[in-house]
Amino acid sequence: MTDVAPIAPPTDAWQSLPQRAARLAALEGAFGGLFVPGLPLAAAAWFFDLPGGLWTAALGLLIGILFGAWLGRRRLTRTRWRLDDQGLGLRRDLMWQLETRIPISRVQHLDLRRGPLERRAGLATLIVHTAGTRMSAVTVNGLDETDAERLRDTLAHQLDQDADAL
């Protein structure tokens, strides 16, 4: 019996975001959940003098933090991207499935953004600015730094080739 190497996925297959991006999204979601719905739940418990008082308020904050962390992690673990000859595809699936397709001909310019937490985790955010005025930028959070740079460079190279053809 011979060892057979696994077949590499095609370059235009849907790619998932790294797990460390999901952990960072959970942290950001927990912070957001602290304020919405955590703070209103805690304030309602305190204001209406519910049984348990401080414990009920603390439970409201904890529920908000946990819900925000769960939602942030789920959002990023269910996001996929792919790059093919036609352009960049982005598939997001939280409750409703949203698939965005950005044709190369619509790309105006590209930005990479790296916040302090993203830099520490080796992540980056790719911002694809497209032609148009309303909703003219697509943001892909949580990309591996090398994937983000490769996507930016590939899209920019394809864009330069298309401009040369004109």
Side-chain angles (χ1 to χ4, degrees):
M1 186 170 167
T2 61
D3 290 333
V4 177
I7 298 172
T11 57
D12 63 347
W14 289 101
Q15 305 289 318
S16 59
L17 299 172
Q19 282 299 313
R20 62 188 186 278
R23 288 191 295 269
L24 185 60
L27 179 65
E28 291 171 352
F31 185 71
L34 176 66
F35 294 103
V36 177
L39 202 56
L41 285 173
W46 187 266
F47 181 74
F48 293 115
D49 198 25
L50 296 178
L54 188 58
W55 290 106
T56 306
L59 181 63
L61 288 174
L62 182 63
I63 288 171
I65 289 169
L66 292 176
F67 179 72
W70 173 79
L71 197 61
R73 181 174 179 79
R74 182 173 165 87
R75 179 180 53 85
L76 235 68
T77 57
R78 299 180 59 95
T79 299
R80 306 273 187 270
W81 62 271
R82 79 173 176 190
L83 182 65
D84 57 21
D85 294 337
Q86 285 77 39
L88 178 66
L90 186 61
R91 183 180 287 168
R92 293 182 173 133
D93 181 12
L94 187 56
M95 292 173 98
W96 288 269
Q97 199 174 55
L98 173 67
E99 191 167 324
T100 304
R101 171 57 97 184
I102 306 164
I104 296 293
S105 62
R106 302 295 291 172
V107 175
Q108 295 292 307
H109 65 278
L110 304 148
D111 293 325
L112 277 184
R113 183 179 64 209
R114 297 178 189 100
L117 295 177
E118 285 178 317
R119 282 194 308 269
R120 184 160 174 85
L123 301 170
T125 298
L126 177 68
I127 304 166
V128 182
H129 298 274
T130 59
T133 56
R134 191 173 151 272
M135 304 293 285
S136 63
V138 176
T139 303
V140 186
N141 298 321
L143 285 166
D144 185 70
E145 205 167 14
T146 57
D147 285 340
E149 290 171 354
R150 183 175 57 87
L151 278 170
R152 179 199 57 199
D153 295 343
T154 303
L155 285 170
H157 180 71
Q158 288 177 341
L159 188 61
D160 288 343
Q161 285 181 339
D162 288 347
D164 291 342
L166 295 177

